[in-house]
Amino acid sequence: MVRATAQRLRDLRRRTADRRFGIHLLASAMVATVAAVPFGLLLVLVEGHWQPLRRLDAGAARRLNEAALQHPEWTSTLRFLSDRVWDPVTLRTAVALLTVWLLYRRAWRLAAWSAVTATAGGLIGLLVKIVVERARPSLEDPVAHAPGFSFPSGHAMTATTSFAIFLLVLLPMVPRALRALCWCAAIVSVLGVGFTRIALGVHWFSDVVGGWLLGLAVVALTTWAFEAWRTDAGRGRAGLSEGLEPELTGARPEPGSSGGNMA
């Protein structure tokens, strides 16, 4: 009788935590959306009236375009990295496969966090592009072309959210001695994506910075929602060095994931 009562209390607590988790995820996505539009508009105003930033954008585009024209092999490598390895479609597909694996592992809430973070990032980036309508760089002798508007960089934003998802989900599976290497690889990849977009002349420097900042904002908001669920479910907050869910290495990653028991 006592055991059954305790089980019912645990189940009730879990269901309450799940409802709050959904509310937190939705609220986080809405806050990120509302914040993205004025942020984009503010940066457009800065780009339009603050001359130092305009000179920085134009100078970086001009110098890197000259380097790209002088080194065609280097340019081909950058184009391959940008269009194949770090392409948003490639990264989103990888995140989708990771989410499916999390569902297979019965890590339901972590899978929801992964899907919402990736989807919110893509939609917010598209929304800001539509609102801002900033033109891409126009160079006399371009080495690459890209459709659509320029601000923020979709490549930079997708790389930020995607590599953050990979890190925060998979770190528990990585030996501690290799975790610093994983962080370095993710940071280098995110910075590398931004560099390729500027070097190929398809984005301004401020486009890339805007993509990084918006991507970080989305990840921060959805991560806060996930940690709020952990608190409501009676689990402590996990440090970034441990990943969002250190219990992912166990047989029962989340409360109620197998047999309805707490891990």
Side-chain angles (χ1 to χ4, degrees):
M1 182 65 179
V2 174
R3 179 177 298 181
T5 301
Q7 181 63 51
R8 284 197 295 270
L9 289 174
R10 286 196 295 266
D11 290 343
L12 177 61
R13 184 175 186 178
R14 176 174 56 81
R15 287 194 296 269
T16 301
D18 287 345
R19 286 194 294 270
R20 290 179 180 177
F21 176 50
I23 294 172
H24 286 314
L25 276 178
L26 180 60
S28 297
M30 291 177 64
V31 169
T33 302
V34 172
V37 175
F39 176 76
L41 291 174
L42 176 61
L43 285 186
V44 167
L45 292 175
V46 170
E47 187 270 336
H49 299 285
W50 196 44
Q51 292 301 317
L53 181 58
R54 297 188 66 180
R55 288 195 294 270
L56 175 62
D57 277 339
R62 183 181 63 257
R63 288 192 294 271
L64 288 175
N65 179 249
E66 292 172 355
L69 291 172
Q70 294 171 4
H71 304 281
E73 298 83 5
W74 178 66
T75 304
S76 298
T77 300
L78 294 181
R79 188 179 292 111
F80 173 77
L81 290 172
S82 181
D83 296 344
R84 297 290 186 270
V85 180
W86 291 327
D87 182 68
V89 174
T90 302
L91 295 179
R92 289 168 186 161
T93 300
V95 170
L97 293 174
L98 177 63
T99 303
V100 171
W101 178 76
L102 289 172
L103 292 174
Y104 171 76
R105 290 280 290 114
R106 297 180 179 272
W108 313 117
R109 293 89 178 175
L110 195 56
W113 173 82
S114 172
V116 169
T117 301
T119 303
L123 292 177
I124 289 170
L126 179 61
L127 174 62
V128 177
K129 280 180 181 286
I130 293 173
V131 171
V132 174
E133 294 186 340
R134 187 183 191 186
R136 293 181 184 271
S138 179
L139 304 170
E140 287 188 11
D141 195 0
V143 297
H145 299 276
F149 298 118
S150 187
F151 181 88
S153 166
H155 278 67
M157 190 168 182
T158 301
T160 302
T161 55
S162 297
F163 282 102
I165 291 171
F166 299 149
L167 276 176
L168 294 178
V169 169
L170 296 176
L171 274 181
M173 317 291 291
V174 178
R176 289 183 179 275
L178 298 179
R179 291 180 183 179
L181 181 61
C182 292
W183 277 99
C184 290
I187 292 172
V188 168
S189 294
V190 171
L191 294 177
V193 169
F195 177 77
T196 62
R197 302 308 285 169
I198 302 169
L200 290 173
V202 292
H203 276 296
W204 302 107
F205 171 77
S206 52
D207 296 338
V208 169
V209 174
W212 287 336
L213 293 176
L214 280 178
L216 286 174
V218 171
V219 172
L221 286 166
T222 57
T223 298
W224 169 81
F226 190 86
E227 291 185 340
W229 166 74
R230 285 183 63 89
T231 300
D232 290 339
R235 293 187 168 190
R237 290 176 177 266
L240 289 181
S241 62
E242 301 294 326
L244 277 184
E245 197 160 65
E247 300 85 356
L248 189 61
T249 56
R252 300 175 182 176
E254 295 178 3
S257 62
S258 178
N261 296 323
M262 292 290 288

